[in-house]
Amino acid sequence: MALHPRAASVPAGTPTKITQGSKTRGGIGESTLRPDGTLKVTGEFAYSSDMWHEDMLWGHTLRSTVAHAELRSIDIGEALATPGVYAVLTYDDLPAAMKNYGLEIQDTPVLAHGKVRHHGEPVALVAADHPETARRAAAKIKIDYAELPLITDEASATAPDAVLVHEGRTDHHIGHVPHPNVVHRQPIVRGDADAAAERADVIVTGDYVFGMQDQAFLGPESGLAVPSEDGGVELYVATQWLHSDLRQIAPVLGLPEDKVRMTLSGVGGAFGGREDLSMQIHACLLALRTGKPVKMVYNRFESFFGHVHRHPAKLHYEHGATRDGKLTHMKCRIVLDGGAYASASPAVVGNASSLAVGPYVVEDVDIEAIALYSNNPPCGAMRGFGAVQACFAYEAQMDKLAAALDMDPVELRQLNAMEQGTLLPTGQRVDSPAPVAELLRRVKARPLPPEQQWLSADADGSSVDVRALPGGLSNTTHGEGVVRGVGYAVGLKNVGFSEGFDDYSTARVRMEVINGEPVATVHTAMAEVGQGGVTVHAQIARTELGVSQVTIHPADTQVGSAGSTSASRQTYVTGGAVKNSCEAVRERVLEIGRRKLGTYHPAWATAELLLEGGKVVTDGGEVLASLADVLEEEAVDVELEWRHRPTEAFDLRTGQGNGHVQYSFAAHRAVVEVDTELGLVKVIELACAQDVGKALNPLSVVGQIQGGTTQGLGVAVMEEIIVDPRTAKVRNPSFTDYLIPTILDTPTIPVDVLELADDHAPYGLRGIGEAPTLSSTPAVLAAIRNATGLELNRTPVRPEHITGT
Amino acid sequence: MRVNFTVNGRKQEADDVWEGESLLYVLRERMGLPGSKNACEQGECGSCTVRLDGVPVCSCLVAAGQAEGREIVTVEGLADYARHRDDSHPGAGCAAGTCGTSLDAAQRWQARPSDGQSADAAELSPIQQAFIDAGAVQCGFCTPGLLVAADELLETQPSPSDQDIREALSGNLCRCTGYEKILDAVRLAAARQEETVR
């Protein structure tokens, strides 16, 4: 660990003091603007789908039209004979012994062999000179499917005679799962929930259903593979983790990793949906086979099949409390449907179980979470990662409990809120500020938006602006039957990869003098997916090195891994790596200065030296030299790995273990208006309060919180991939039928940012990207319940759930 | 077939265009103008919005042949388009971001009746600069379409209310920002343009 230890006298919850370079403009804590902003507003920024190469071909994927079937035969003759077609590949064409890939378990076939396990599984590939030629040729491939029985839920998956989705499993979870159609199971038992239940004056139970959400990033899966002269391949692609892709791609291509050179191209959003591979291997295979550059771009329809989704979940919860509102115990069972392939399911189970209790003190718990293998679409990472589903259920339970106790729901939450020092159900102590009660207080204290805002302000009260009403311009109501409701929720999310994962990052930092000015270059493999990491890295370099000019080198595999842009970890871990490497560069620069100039001034040897404003200065502010004079022709170049403190695996029987690195907390208050006649919901305001530890870039922080809040709003009222339970086919793979919030559906989102430093993190920062996605969904649901008096235990809420039709 | 049209003020012709190709495909893959984005290609997300004879359209839904003889403005030509619009209505002018309205002021700004016109002489159009300044760009994939739509809104309605902005941009999906900063950006551009005219 390369963190500066802090003086013990500094009280917890104050921002970490930054001693280096704080006077250099554009450092941390400022809302500096994105370095890629101008390119993005002029249309010049090169996203992965914008790649172009002379003489390139277009790749296309043929996908399974059925969910579960034996593949009897594939006839590619007619497709291959189509003019303009350069290659048609099936499983038989895979060049290496390794034919599968996967994040943790290598169970996902590059192309289906033997059988298909879900609707939309890739079966064959085509390369042609025009995308339409490739599509038409693919349509000529004849496949003989012999359909197999479907596994679609827990009952069909774990029946004694159930067909196995994966026969002959050998992964490391098979030893502890109750059935081979269960990917992973994690119980967490602490105290004695049954005994504690005896002390409860009130017990509430509930069954909750969380629908399958899609990341719905706007930039479709796409990239360009270019064969290289040494027999390798260069891949320009949008992803969340270059090195994880590389580790999975190279063995399937039968190439050593250094012959697969990956460069990040512009990423149009990710939200977890680019953690797994999509077209990467396919494009490389076609490029290597044809000897030509191959571009693949999914259309929106294919994108819905090309990435994993958020696990749909069924959750059963029981909470007890004493008459005065103190929680006695919690029991829950969470069943996540992982679909046909494992993807991130084991880690999602770990999160769902370890965070199942939420940000509350409950000493006696009995928790079980499992993920199923099924023939439904594969599910994996999405913003909030297992914690989202649990938060939906435990927050509904809190409201139910408050109603049973006739207490204010916010007061009940505050009474049981965890704080610094609380033990999680895993036995891990929360060793940084945990301002749960304070976040709730802040959203509650905010003045409510005015009633009946749809009554035009300039009119006498009789004039109605229908645009502000549920249904909007559809003109479905003029206010009659419209009722208002207010709801609250708060959530707990872990930051970073947990359960003993070696979650490191690498940064190379170079400092040199160019045209008389000191310039720092930061090179990492971090995937910039829109979160603003490139902005923050430049800010960190300015702060640590006292230079104004910072160049961000494009992310590629020519530098060590940066880990994934997910789990709210990238600013913490790669930001930490950049800080760490900058500190090493600073020391080297000061060594050079001492060597060259040390004899001219005693402060070189005796004072604390800083780099500020392009100069070496003493902590008293005396300027010793300019960086240009110190470095002259020399360049300092450092590449270092950086790790946060280690975590450990959860015990497979008890769930005990220090599994998490850091926690992130957010609270929401939702105000909704519901047209009870038509069941239409208009969210009026969705206020958020979140602790961010230290806002390295306040503008970006607020943008992340508003974006995360909106994705939570989406799943509350509209977003769901609908899978036909009889056929396991996806019914709505389009933006016509899978709805994400528009600007008309999204209310004003005031954000209240707390900065209580986490002493263990660089600058005291907290990962922020995911927490707001947790609590916004249950807050909206609570507000709709408050408006309508309905129970509403499923998300998304649809009009028919409100009208009972 | 061959298609002749004007793109961002320049005469262009595209050869060997297949009849089923969209204007979006021709712009992106034949004209070398990938600024218009291919997020859904179903007319649902607005990422490919361009001006066709001044009218904002989803270029994915326009067959390339329909563009014959017509004028198209893409995000790549937006700054130039805004400049030429300003030429006929010159204002005071100053470099964007160095004078005029702050973001805080823009958030407090209220719509009011005005016949103001945009008048910014910087390299970027006012709406482009406002998107950067307000933090309305994250992944940026929706940005080109939003810019074209928002620019047209401010051309026809220089002082839009929040409801007007929401209505005008309701055909453009954004998955990153939660739209709040996009609203900020349009308010900021409107406020700056109002101030310049005054």
Side-chain angles (χ1 to χ4, degrees), chain A residues 34 40-41 47 49-50 130 136 214-215 218 295 300 467 703 706-707 710 719 736 741 743 746 749, chain B residues 18 21 28-29 37-39 42 44 128 137-140 147 164 166-167 173 175-176 178-180:
Chain A
R34 296 186 68 96
K40 284 180 173 178
V41 300
Y47 293 90
S49 54
D50 301 337
H130 190 286
R136 290 181 177 191
D214 189 75
Q215 297 84 356
L218 287 198
K295 173 169 168 170
R300 184 52 51 181
R467 296 180 298 181
Q706 289 169 336
T710 305
E719 289 187 39
T736 312
I743 197 168
T746 308
I749 304 170
Chain B
W18 169 62
E21 272 175 30
R28 288 176 54 78
E29 305 295 340
K37 291 293 167 240
N38 54 324
Q42 295 170 318
E44 294 286 350
Q128 287 171 317
V137 180
Q138 289 188 18
C139 93
L147 288 169
D164 295 336
R166 289 181 189 277
E167 200 179 326
L173 297 176
R175 189 56 158 169
C176 294
Y179 301 106
E180 188 93 32

Side-chain angles (χ1 to χ4, degrees), chain A residues 222-234:
Chain A
S222 46
L224 177 70
V226 185
S228 40
E229 285 180 4
D230 64 357
V233 63
E234 289 170 32

Side-chain angles (χ1 to χ4, degrees), chain A residues 33-34 36-45 47 49-52 56 58 129-132 135-136 213-220 222 267-269 271 295 297-301 382-383 465 467-468 473 528-531 682 698-700 702-704 706-708 710-711 714 719 733-738 740-750, chain B residues 16-18 20-21 25 28-30 32-47 74-79 103 107 123-125 127-148 157 161-184 186-187:
Chain A
L33 301 179
R34 296 186 68 96
D36 54 9
T38 301
L39 289 176
K40 284 180 173 178
V41 300
T42 53
E44 291 167 65
F45 186 79
Y47 293 90
S49 54
D50 301 337
M51 299 284 133
W52 187 88
M56 74 182 186
W58 290 79
D129 56 7
H130 190 286
E132 187 61 24
R135 269 193 289 274
R136 290 181 177 191
Q213 190 182 12
D214 189 75
Q215 297 84 356
F217 42 73
L218 287 198
S222 46
V267 186
F271 317 115
K295 173 169 168 170
V297 181
Y298 290 177
N299 61 21
R300 184 52 51 181
F301 180 85
M382 184 175 171
R383 197 177 199 163
D465 185 348
R467 296 180 298 181
L473 284 171
E528 167 62 46
V529 303
Q531 83 278 19
K682 172 100 180 173
L699 188 68
S700 300
V702 171
Q704 281 291 304
Q706 289 169 336
T710 305
Q711 291 189 348
E719 289 187 39
S734 74
F735 276 171
T736 312
D737 300 305
Y738 182 90
I740 68 172
T742 71
I743 197 168
L744 284 174
D745 304 307
T746 308
T748 177
I749 304 170
Chain B
D16 300 325
V17 174
W18 169 62
E21 272 175 30
Y25 183 89
R28 288 176 54 78
E29 305 295 340
R30 296 187 183 276
L33 293 169
S36 308
K37 291 293 167 240
N38 54 324
C40 80
E41 298 178 81
Q42 295 170 318
E44 294 286 350
C45 75
S47 306
T74 73
V75 70
E76 286 97 340
L78 197 60
L103 181 56
Q107 284 166 340
E123 278 183 35
L124 299 177
S125 69
I127 190 68
Q128 287 171 317
Q129 189 64 49
F131 262 61
I132 295 176
D133 295 344
V137 180
Q138 289 188 18
C139 93
F141 210 79
C142 66
T143 304
L146 275 163
L147 288 169
V148 173
Q157 219 173 334
S161 69
D162 283 3
Q163 290 291 3
D164 295 336
I165 300 170
R166 289 181 189 277
E167 200 179 326
L169 302 185
S170 62
N172 293 76
L173 297 176
C174 169
R175 189 56 158 169
C176 294
T177 63
Y179 301 106
E180 188 93 32
K181 299 210 172 296
I182 292 170
L183 277 164
D184 284 347
V186 180
R187 293 184 195 120

Side-chain angles (χ1 to χ4, degrees), chain A residues 786-803:
Chain A
N786 180 250
T788 62
L790 297 167
E791 186 151 332
L792 302 175
N793 284 342
R794 132 175 255 292
T795 188
V797 174
R798 300 191 182 284
E800 59 267 31
H801 302 147
I802 293 172
T803 58

Side-chain angles (χ1 to χ4, degrees), chain A residues 240-241 495-496 504-505 524-528 531 533 536-537 562-577 765 767:
Chain A
Q240 286 178 246
W241 186 357
V495 171
Y504 72 96
S505 186
T524 73
M526 175 199 69
E528 167 62 46
Q531 83 278 19
V536 164
H537 288 180
S564 183
T565 301
S566 52
S568 307
R569 67 177 282 289
Q570 210 41 295
T571 301
Y572 188 133
V573 189
T574 303
L765 70 81

Side-chain angles (χ1 to χ4, degrees), chain A residues 183-362:
Chain A
V183 185
H184 177 45
R185 171 178 181 268
Q186 180 65 63
I188 295 181
V189 184
R190 189 166 180 84
D192 185 339
D194 287 329
E198 301 287 322
R199 297 196 303 274
D201 296 312
V202 172
I203 290 177
V204 295
T205 60
D207 287 287
Y208 304 93
V209 175
F210 199 99
M212 185 187 291
Q213 190 182 12
D214 189 75
Q215 297 84 356
F217 42 73
L218 287 198
E221 289 88 343
S222 46
L224 177 70
V226 185
S228 40
E229 285 180 4
D230 64 357
V233 63
E234 289 170 32
L235 180 61
Y236 301 85
V237 72
T239 179
Q240 286 178 246
W241 186 357
L242 287 166
H243 287 79
S244 166
D245 286 9
L246 176 62
R247 182 176 52 75
Q248 296 171 78
I249 294 168
V252 182
L253 299 179
L255 292 172
E257 288 190 359
D258 62 359
K259 283 204 172 178
V260 181
R261 286 167 289 268
M262 296 186 62
T263 304
L264 187 77
S265 52
V267 186
F271 317 115
R274 298 187 207 266
E275 262 193 32
D276 296 73
L277 297 177
S278 57
M279 46 58 65
Q280 283 92 328
I281 298 172
H282 296 162
C284 290
L285 285 169
L286 289 170
L288 289 167
R289 169 63 75 97
T290 60
K292 284 169 170 283
V294 173
K295 173 169 168 170
M296 288 187 90
V297 181
Y298 290 177
N299 61 21
R300 184 52 51 181
F301 180 85
E302 187 171 14
S303 179
F304 276 96
F305 295 104
H307 60 258
V308 300
H309 315 291
R310 188 193 297 291
H311 288 75
K314 291 186 174 162
L315 311 96
H316 176 79
Y317 265 76
E318 174 184 313
H319 280 86
T322 55
R323 184 97 38 227
D324 59 1
K326 271 285 185 191
L327 291 172
T328 54
H329 73 288
M330 187 280 271
K331 298 181 189 177
C332 75
R333 186 159 188 281
I334 300 173
V335 180
L336 303 151
D337 188 342
Y341 297 106
S343 180
S345 283
V348 172
V349 166
N351 260 21
S353 55
S354 61
L355 304 171
V357 73
Y360 301 110
V361 181
V362 193

Side-chain angles (χ1 to χ4, degrees), chain A residues 142-183:
Chain A
K142 295 185 188 73
I143 301 177
D144 185 7
Y145 295 108
E147 295 208 38
L148 295 165
L150 292 169
I151 305 295
T152 57
D153 55 13
E154 188 183 12
S156 57
T158 58
D161 59 345
V163 174
L164 301 186
V165 179
H166 294 271
E167 316 84 348
R169 275 179 66 185
T170 56
D171 62 85
H172 60 282
H173 296 294
I174 190 69
H176 67 259
V177 290
H179 190 285
N181 281 339
V182 174
V183 185

